[in-house]
Amino acid sequence: MTTGVLASVDPTTFANALNGTWILVVTFLIFFMHAGFAMLEAGQVRSKNVANQLTKNLLTWSVGVTVFFLIGTAFTSVMSGSGGPVSVAGTLFSGGELASEAGSVGPYVNWLYGAVFAMTAATIVSGAVAGRAKLRAYVTYTFLLAAVIYPMVIAFTWSASGDGLVAQLTGTAFHDFAGGMIVHGMGGIAGLTAAAVLGPRMDRYADDGSTNVIPGHSLTFAVLGTLILAFGWYGFNVGTASVVSGGVFNTMTVNLVAMGTTIAMAAGGIGAALVVWLKTGKVDTLYVANGLLAGLVGITAIPDTTAWWGALVVGGLAGAQLPIVFEFVSDTLKIDDVCAVFPVHGSAGVLGTLLFPFVAAPGQLSSSIGAHFIAQLVGVVIIGGWTLTATAVVWYALKVSGAARVTAEHEQEGLDISEHGVETYPEFGGDRVATDGGPSVIDTTDDS
């Protein structure tokens, strides 16, 4: 009976239903990455700032997705040249082959699929400015990123008519399968810029210029967040590849993406562990966790074309550069990137994007290695330049107006109290706290 029913279904209808269901599954996986970001960032900040970081993650989604719905989609539609009445149905905001098949599921699902990519870019910034940015400043930037900054990036890449701006300039299309540069590289550069304008946390640098380590309060949270993000990343990459097109399942692409994503992830953790071990004689847990994420970022632009050995190279290099770039940013540039968002998302995203033609499997390039490299480089420069400029303008304006940074007193007592009026761990506070009807707790130590 079931076989007969399936045999009577129009193949196109069945393919559309299958693709539509998969798009929703992928969307939910990517949305769950926000839990990973929340845990990863909460683990890397002081205990006195955990509630603030969690609130930023919640508001990134709440404010950002609303603004992307009301403004960002329309802005992209106009800037990409699609013309006509502007609505949320104007453009599908995503990369990879899944985008071309998603129209059958309707405008709102298309929009939601693109929105989870957009909000991933937005939430990356919160980790860079942790511990000293005013909540309203961060929300203001999130508003503008979701309304203009990110929509402009996808307007001349994924959502552009034809092959996009880079192809018009170089004659070769810019390749970014699932957002290695468009989402992660862009978010990492935005975070670094915001952190540079905002300035370092108090006591991050000593009077002699040396760097003081300000450890996060929970490695457990940080590692848990890392693994949740890695799980969601299969939606980012493999999810984008899995599609039925023209009655044919994308077997080759799915194979490359599933393998490349996994191998690059593993190689990223190994690369970071090796470099930090060679530098210090110890294997730092947080570097390994962030190295794993850097490997994922590095492969995200190119998993559909990368050979198995290329996945090892990209992931390994992305992980290996992490401790080196983080030290350069922290110790040389004196930029306090709290959650290492630039080496994890920024430089790793740039690296993977530029390596595209050098690690491609046989038959995956449509032009010469040189032509593809130039196209990738031009795309990186345009996306990076736009993101840096727009982000700097916004944060400088906030800084000049006095709206960017909390006061020294509020920074010292913690943003949980000053911005939200709560304590994440009230039992360990300095005041007498009643605990669930039990005896009060008095602790005069400073656990912040």
Side-chain angles (χ1 to χ4, degrees):
M1 180 67 179
T2 303
T3 303
V5 172
L6 290 176
S8 66
V9 175
D10 177 69
T12 301
T13 301
F14 182 76
N16 288 341
L18 185 63
N19 288 335
T21 302
W22 184 249
I23 289 166
L24 287 172
V25 172
V26 169
T27 298
F28 304 151
L29 275 171
I30 299 172
F31 168 75
F32 191 60
M33 291 175 74
H34 285 276
F37 278 115
M39 291 297 96
L40 177 65
E41 294 171 11
Q44 292 185 80
V45 300
R46 306 297 299 279
S47 61
K48 63 183 180 180
N49 295 322
V50 172
N52 177 255
Q53 208 61 29
L54 297 176
T55 304
K56 285 177 180 175
N57 277 272
L58 292 169
L59 287 177
T60 296
W61 174 262
S62 302
V63 173
V65 81
T66 304
V67 172
F68 191 67
F69 183 86
L70 297 175
I71 302 173
T73 51
F75 184 84
T76 296
S77 184
V78 171
M79 298 307 295
S80 64
S82 61
V86 175
S87 69
V88 295
T91 312
L92 177 66
F93 302 95
S94 65
E97 296 183 45
L98 188 57
S100 63
E101 298 297 322
S104 61
V105 301
Y108 293 141
V109 173
N110 288 351
W111 161 79
L112 178 58
Y113 178 61
V116 292
F117 281 80
M119 294 307 100
T120 300
T123 199
I124 290 170
V125 180
S126 66
V129 298
R132 74 274 202 203
K134 287 184 178 180
L135 181 64
R136 61 178 177 268
Y138 175 74
V139 170
T140 298
Y141 179 75
T142 299
F143 183 104
L144 294 172
L145 184 144
V148 176
I149 300 174
Y150 177 79
M152 177 63 85
V153 172
I154 57 174
F156 58 76
T157 52
W158 285 336
S159 298
S161 56
D163 289 330
L165 177 60
V166 173
Q168 296 176 27
L169 296 174
T170 68
T172 304
F174 177 70
H175 185 87
D176 189 339
F177 183 73
M181 185 64 204
I182 293 171
V183 175
H184 292 279
M186 178 263 181
I189 291 170
L192 181 72
T193 306
V197 174
L198 196 59
R201 290 167 291 175
M202 296 177 66
D203 299 327
R204 175 60 168 156
Y205 299 104
D207 293 338
D208 62 1
S210 61
T211 303
N212 293 322
V213 176
I214 304 178
H217 91 289
S218 175
L219 273 176
T220 304
F221 282 6
V223 172
L224 175 62
T226 297
L227 296 176
I228 292 173
L229 282 169
F231 173 69
W233 226 291
Y234 282 112
F236 230 90
N237 291 3
V238 183
T240 301
S242 297
V243 62
V244 176
S245 179
V248 178
F249 184 67
N250 240 348
T251 306
M252 181 58 183
T253 302
V254 172
N255 270 268
L256 283 175
V257 174
M259 175 278 299
T261 299
T262 305
I263 293 299
M265 179 202 313
I270 294 170
L274 283 174
V275 169
V276 75
W277 175 66
L278 290 172
K279 289 172 65 68
T280 67
K282 306 290 183 181
V283 179
D284 185 280
T285 305
L286 194 56
Y287 270 133
V288 176
N290 280 325
L292 185 147
L293 296 178
L296 284 165
V297 171
I299 200 65
T300 294
I302 57 174
D304 59 319
T305 60
T306 303
W308 68 265
W309 58 266
L312 283 170
V313 170
V314 171
L317 290 177
Q321 61 83 41
L322 169 72
I324 298 169
V325 172
F326 181 73
E327 280 193 13
F328 176 75
V329 168
S330 178
D331 299 345
T332 303
L333 298 182
K334 302 298 182 184
I335 298 175
D336 187 12
D337 179 0
V338 179
C339 295
V341 303
F342 181 73
V344 171
H345 300 275
S347 53
V350 169
L351 175 68
T353 303
L354 294 179
L355 286 175
F356 161 59
F358 303 105
V359 295
Q364 294 295 322
L365 299 182
S366 61
S367 187
S368 68
I369 291 177
H372 278 293
F373 177 75
I374 291 171
Q376 296 300 96
L377 180 61
V378 169
V380 165
V381 170
I382 293 174
I383 293 170
W386 159 251
T387 302
L388 188 154
T389 302
T391 302
V393 168
V394 173
W395 281 96
Y396 268 118
L398 291 167
K399 185 175 183 179
V400 169
S401 65
R405 185 163 180 149
V406 300
T407 64
E409 293 75 17
H410 285 173
E411 186 173 343
Q412 286 176 324
E413 72 177 349
L415 304 191
D416 290 2
I417 292 294
S418 63
E419 294 275 276
H420 309 284
V422 300
E423 289 184 79
T424 306
Y425 303 103
E427 289 88 350
F428 300 104
D431 298 325
R432 183 180 294 270
V433 180
T435 56
D436 303 325
S440 297
V441 174
I442 300 177
D443 189 341
T444 58
T445 63
D446 181 8
D447 187 55
S448 65

